[in-house]
Amino acid sequence: QKEVEQDPGPLSVPEGAIVSLNCTYSNSAFQYFMWYRQYSRKGPELLMYTYSSGNKEDGRFTAQVDKSSKYISLFIRDSQPSDSATYLCAMPKTSYDKVIFGPGTSLSVIP
Amino acid sequence: DADVTQTPRNRITKTGKRIMLECSQTKGHDRMYWYRQDPGLGLRLIYYSFDVKDINKGEISDGYSVSRQAQAKFSLSLESAIPNQTALYFCATKGTGSNQPQHFGDGTRLSIL
Protein backbone atom coordinates (compact mmCIF):
# COMPACT_ATOMS: atom_id res chain seq x y z
CA GLN A 1 0.00 0.00 0.00
CA LYS A 2 1.34 3.44 -0.92
CA GLU A 3 1.82 5.85 1.98
CA VAL A 4 -0.22 8.56 0.28
CA GLU A 5 -2.91 7.99 -2.35
CA GLN A 6 -4.85 10.39 -4.54
CA ASP A 7 -7.32 9.98 -7.36
CA PRO A 8 -5.34 11.18 -10.40
CA GLY A 9 -8.41 12.46 -12.24
CA PRO A 10 -8.56 14.26 -14.54
CA LEU A 11 -11.33 16.25 -12.93
CA SER A 12 -13.22 18.71 -15.12
CA VAL A 13 -15.69 21.21 -13.63
CA PRO A 14 -17.52 24.33 -14.85
CA GLU A 15 -16.40 27.74 -13.63
CA GLY A 16 -17.98 28.62 -10.30
CA ALA A 17 -18.31 25.02 -9.11
CA ILE A 18 -17.15 23.78 -5.72
CA VAL A 19 -14.24 21.38 -6.11
CA SER A 20 -13.30 18.65 -3.65
CA LEU A 21 -9.85 17.08 -3.86
CA ASN A 22 -8.93 14.22 -1.55
CA CYS A 23 -6.03 12.16 -0.25
CA THR A 24 -5.79 9.13 1.98
CA TYR A 25 -2.70 8.11 3.91
CA SER A 26 -1.58 5.07 5.82
CA ASN A 27 0.94 6.39 8.35
CA SER A 28 -0.81 7.53 11.52
CA ALA A 29 2.37 9.36 12.59
CA PHE A 30 1.85 12.12 10.00
CA GLN A 31 1.13 15.36 11.85
CA TYR A 32 1.44 18.07 9.22
CA PHE A 33 -0.46 18.13 5.95
CA MET A 34 0.22 20.24 2.90
CA TRP A 35 -1.35 20.94 -0.44
CA TYR A 36 0.80 22.00 -3.37
CA ARG A 37 -0.44 23.38 -6.69
CA GLN A 38 1.48 22.69 -9.88
CA TYR A 39 0.78 24.52 -13.11
CA SER A 40 1.80 23.01 -16.41
CA ARG A 41 5.55 23.27 -17.01
CA LYS A 42 6.11 24.70 -13.54
CA GLY A 43 7.31 23.36 -10.22
CA PRO A 44 4.90 22.70 -7.34
CA GLU A 45 4.18 25.62 -5.05
CA LEU A 46 2.82 25.43 -1.53
CA LEU A 47 -0.87 26.31 -1.36
CA MET A 48 -1.90 25.39 2.18
CA TYR A 49 -0.36 23.92 5.30
CA THR A 50 -2.32 22.45 8.20
CA TYR A 51 -1.53 20.73 11.46
CA SER A 52 -3.57 17.85 12.83
CA SER A 53 -7.33 17.53 12.53
CA GLY A 54 -9.79 20.26 11.64
CA ASN A 55 -10.31 22.90 8.99
CA LYS A 56 -8.19 25.78 7.75
CA GLU A 57 -9.53 28.42 5.42
CA ASP A 58 -7.61 30.77 3.11
CA GLY A 59 -9.76 32.76 0.74
CA ARG A 60 -11.55 30.39 -1.61
CA PHE A 61 -9.54 27.40 -0.33
CA THR A 62 -10.34 25.21 2.68
CA ALA A 63 -8.11 22.37 3.85
CA GLN A 64 -9.71 19.70 6.00
CA VAL A 65 -7.98 16.94 7.97
CA ASP A 66 -9.65 13.88 9.51
CA LYS A 67 -6.91 11.98 11.30
CA SER A 68 -9.27 9.28 12.57
CA SER A 69 -9.99 8.31 8.96
CA LYS A 70 -6.52 9.22 7.65
CA TYR A 71 -8.22 11.43 5.08
CA ILE A 72 -7.50 14.98 3.97
CA SER A 73 -9.41 17.22 1.60
CA LEU A 74 -8.95 20.49 -0.24
CA PHE A 75 -12.09 22.41 -1.17
CA ILE A 76 -12.09 25.18 -3.75
CA ARG A 77 -15.11 27.49 -3.77
CA ASP A 78 -16.17 29.53 -6.80
CA SER A 79 -13.58 27.76 -8.93
CA GLN A 80 -11.87 29.80 -11.64
CA PRO A 81 -10.09 28.81 -14.87
CA SER A 82 -6.88 29.96 -13.19
CA ASP A 83 -7.34 27.11 -10.69
CA SER A 84 -6.67 24.62 -13.50
CA ALA A 85 -3.58 22.76 -12.32
CA THR A 86 -2.44 19.56 -10.67
CA TYR A 87 -2.92 19.46 -6.90
CA LEU A 88 -0.59 17.35 -4.78
CA CYS A 89 -1.11 16.48 -1.17
CA ALA A 90 2.07 16.09 0.87
CA MET A 91 3.08 15.02 4.34
CA PRO A 92 6.45 15.47 6.06
CA LYS A 93 8.06 12.35 7.38
CA THR A 94 9.52 12.03 10.86
CA SER A 95 12.41 14.39 10.25
CA TYR A 96 10.16 17.04 8.68
CA ASP A 97 12.91 17.68 6.18
CA LYS A 98 11.64 14.90 3.94
CA VAL A 99 8.19 14.95 2.42
CA ILE A 100 5.98 12.25 0.94
CA PHE A 101 3.92 13.49 -2.02
CA GLY A 102 0.73 12.08 -3.41
CA PRO A 103 0.66 11.49 -7.19
CA GLY A 104 -1.54 14.54 -7.76
CA THR A 105 -5.02 15.22 -9.12
CA SER A 106 -5.34 17.09 -12.42
CA LEU A 107 -8.09 19.72 -12.35
CA SER A 108 -9.55 21.65 -15.28
CA VAL A 109 -12.01 24.50 -14.68
CA ILE A 110 -13.96 25.20 -17.85
CA PRO A 111 -15.10 28.81 -18.51
CA ASP B 1 14.68 36.15 -11.40
CA ALA B 2 13.55 32.78 -10.08
CA ASP B 3 14.66 31.83 -6.56
CA VAL B 4 15.42 28.24 -7.65
CA THR B 5 16.84 27.90 -11.16
CA GLN B 6 17.28 24.64 -13.02
CA THR B 7 19.26 24.14 -16.20
CA PRO B 8 18.66 22.91 -18.78
CA ARG B 9 14.86 23.11 -18.98
CA ASN B 10 14.73 20.40 -21.62
CA ARG B 11 17.21 17.76 -22.71
CA ILE B 12 17.06 14.89 -25.16
CA THR B 13 19.95 12.44 -25.15
CA LYS B 14 20.87 8.88 -25.96
CA THR B 15 21.23 5.77 -23.83
CA GLY B 16 24.65 5.49 -22.22
CA LYS B 17 25.42 9.21 -22.20
CA ARG B 18 26.47 11.06 -19.06
CA ILE B 19 24.15 13.92 -18.15
CA MET B 20 24.32 16.63 -15.54
CA LEU B 21 21.36 18.66 -14.35
CA GLU B 22 22.14 21.81 -12.41
CA CYS B 23 20.30 23.69 -9.72
CA SER B 24 21.13 27.03 -8.15
CA GLN B 25 19.23 29.00 -5.53
CA THR B 26 19.19 32.51 -4.17
CA LYS B 27 17.02 31.76 -1.12
CA GLY B 28 19.95 31.13 1.21
CA HIS B 29 18.54 27.74 2.22
CA ASP B 30 20.79 24.97 3.52
CA ARG B 31 18.55 22.11 2.48
CA MET B 32 18.39 21.06 -1.16
CA TYR B 33 16.62 18.15 -2.83
CA TRP B 34 16.38 16.35 -6.15
CA TYR B 35 13.11 14.67 -7.16
CA ARG B 36 11.84 12.96 -10.25
CA GLN B 37 8.20 13.13 -11.26
CA ASP B 38 6.49 10.42 -13.30
CA PRO B 39 2.80 10.21 -14.24
CA GLY B 40 0.85 8.32 -11.60
CA LEU B 41 3.82 8.07 -9.27
CA GLY B 42 4.16 11.63 -8.09
CA LEU B 43 7.39 13.12 -6.80
CA ARG B 44 10.03 10.68 -5.62
CA LEU B 45 13.13 11.73 -3.73
CA ILE B 46 16.46 10.91 -5.38
CA TYR B 47 19.01 12.67 -3.14
CA TYR B 48 19.00 15.38 -0.53
CA SER B 49 21.60 17.56 1.15
CA PHE B 50 21.41 19.46 4.42
CA ASP B 51 24.66 21.32 3.81
CA VAL B 52 27.76 21.14 1.62
CA LYS B 53 29.22 18.22 3.59
CA ASP B 54 25.98 16.31 4.15
CA ILE B 55 24.64 14.28 1.20
CA ASN B 56 21.99 11.58 1.63
CA LYS B 57 20.33 9.02 -0.60
CA GLY B 58 16.62 9.21 -1.14
CA GLU B 59 14.25 6.41 -2.07
CA ILE B 60 15.42 6.00 -5.68
CA SER B 61 19.14 6.92 -5.80
CA ASP B 62 20.38 4.00 -7.93
CA GLY B 63 21.79 5.24 -11.23
CA TYR B 64 22.18 8.81 -9.96
CA SER B 65 24.86 10.81 -8.19
CA VAL B 66 24.95 14.36 -6.83
CA SER B 67 27.42 17.08 -5.99
CA ARG B 68 26.89 20.01 -3.62
CA GLN B 69 29.43 22.47 -4.94
CA ALA B 70 28.35 25.32 -2.67
CA GLN B 71 25.44 26.20 -0.43
CA ALA B 72 23.65 27.58 -3.47
CA LYS B 73 24.43 24.83 -6.01
CA PHE B 74 23.34 21.20 -6.15
CA SER B 75 23.82 19.15 -9.32
CA LEU B 76 22.41 15.77 -10.30
CA SER B 77 24.28 13.40 -12.62
CA LEU B 78 23.18 10.37 -14.56
CA GLU B 79 26.43 8.51 -15.18
CA SER B 80 25.07 6.28 -17.95
CA ALA B 81 21.55 7.27 -18.88
CA ILE B 82 18.91 4.63 -19.59
CA PRO B 83 15.42 5.09 -21.10
CA ASN B 84 13.55 4.48 -17.81
CA GLN B 85 15.23 7.60 -16.42
CA THR B 86 13.09 9.63 -18.80
CA ALA B 87 11.12 11.90 -16.45
CA LEU B 88 10.60 15.40 -15.16
CA TYR B 89 13.29 16.32 -12.62
CA PHE B 90 12.82 18.93 -9.92
CA CYS B 91 15.20 20.62 -7.55
CA ALA B 92 13.84 22.03 -4.28
CA THR B 93 15.18 23.99 -1.35
CA LYS B 94 13.98 24.37 2.21
CA GLY B 95 14.82 26.56 5.15
CA THR B 96 15.43 25.17 8.62
CA GLY B 97 12.40 24.64 10.83
CA SER B 98 9.76 21.93 10.73
CA ASN B 99 7.04 24.19 9.30
CA GLN B 100 9.07 25.55 6.39
CA PRO B 101 7.82 24.50 2.95
CA GLN B 102 9.94 23.27 0.09
CA HIS B 103 10.46 25.67 -2.82
CA PHE B 104 10.74 24.10 -6.25
CA GLY B 105 12.41 25.06 -9.48
CA ASP B 106 10.49 24.76 -12.75
CA GLY B 107 11.99 21.41 -13.64
CA THR B 108 14.06 19.75 -16.33
CA ARG B 109 12.25 17.57 -18.84
CA LEU B 110 14.68 14.77 -19.69
CA SER B 111 14.15 12.29 -22.51
CA ILE B 112 16.52 9.39 -23.03
CA LEU B 113 16.26 7.60 -26.35
Side-chain angles (χ1 to χ4, degrees):
Chain A
Q1 181 186 9
K2 292 182 182 179
E3 286 191 281
V4 180
E5 301 204 54
Q6 256 183 292
D7 185 340
L11 184 61
S12 183
V13 301
E15 183 175 353
I18 297 174
V19 176
S20 173
L21 304 168
N22 308 296
C23 280
T24 58
Y25 63 94
S26 59
N27 189 341
S28 59
F30 289 144
Q31 294 290 326
Y32 290 86
F33 305 91
M34 297 177 282
W35 285 95
Y36 280 78
R37 178 175 60 196
Q38 184 177 14
Y39 290 116
S40 179
R41 302 193 63 76
K42 291 288 188 179
E45 57 180 345
L46 183 68
L47 186 62
M48 294 197 69
Y49 193 123
T50 61
Y51 173 73
S52 198
S53 289
N55 291 359
K56 180 178 181 180
E57 188 173 319
D58 184 2
R60 295 185 296 109
F61 298 88
T62 299
Q64 186 176 83
V65 175
D66 181 351
K67 291 193 72 181
S68 62
S69 301
K70 299 191 183 68
Y71 190 88
I72 68 171
S73 300
L74 178 71
F75 298 97
I76 307 174
R77 292 185 299 279
D78 186 25
S79 56
Q80 302 295 308
S82 59
D83 295 328
S84 298
T86 296
Y87 291 81
L88 302 97
C89 59
M91 297 153 204
K93 293 207 80 169
T94 52
S95 69
Y96 295 107
D97 287 306
K98 292 167 63 178
V99 177
I100 302 297
F101 288 87
T105 299
S106 175
L107 171 66
S108 293
V109 181
I110 310 302
Chain B
D1 289 339
D3 294 324
V4 183
T5 302
Q6 292 185 235
T7 56
R9 290 296 314 276
N10 296 280
R11 178 79 184 271
I12 300 173
T13 192
K14 295 181 179 180
T15 298
K17 294 292 188 181
R18 184 178 187 275
I19 302 160
M20 179 180 288
L21 309 182
E22 299 188 346
C23 177
S24 62
Q25 51 117 346
T26 58
K27 300 190 75 67
H29 289 164
D30 289 329
R31 286 145 171 77
M32 296 188 75
Y33 306 79
W34 275 106
Y35 291 91
R36 65 176 281 175
Q37 187 176 42
D38 300 275
L41 296 178
L43 288 158
R44 292 182 292 166
L45 184 62
I46 305 171
Y47 270 95
Y48 61 103
S49 170
F50 288 171
D51 66 38
V52 174
K53 297 180 181 179
D54 182 8
I55 305 287
N56 303 280
K57 292 183 177 181
E59 58 182 304
I60 54 164
S61 59
D62 287 348
Y64 302 94
S65 62
V66 291
S67 174
R68 185 83 183 264
Q69 302 94 324
Q71 186 205 38
K73 295 183 182 295
F74 192 35
S75 59
L76 175 72
S77 293
L78 287 68
E79 296 301 326
S80 179
I82 55 177
N84 76 359
Q85 292 176 312
T86 293
L88 194 52
Y89 288 85
F90 286 100
C91 173
T93 74
K94 180 183 176 297
T96 55
S98 59
N99 63 345
Q100 296 299 307
Q102 295 188 356
H103 298 265
F104 287 83
D106 284 337
T108 294
R109 187 171 297 275
L110 179 62
S111 297
I112 299 165
L113 307 178

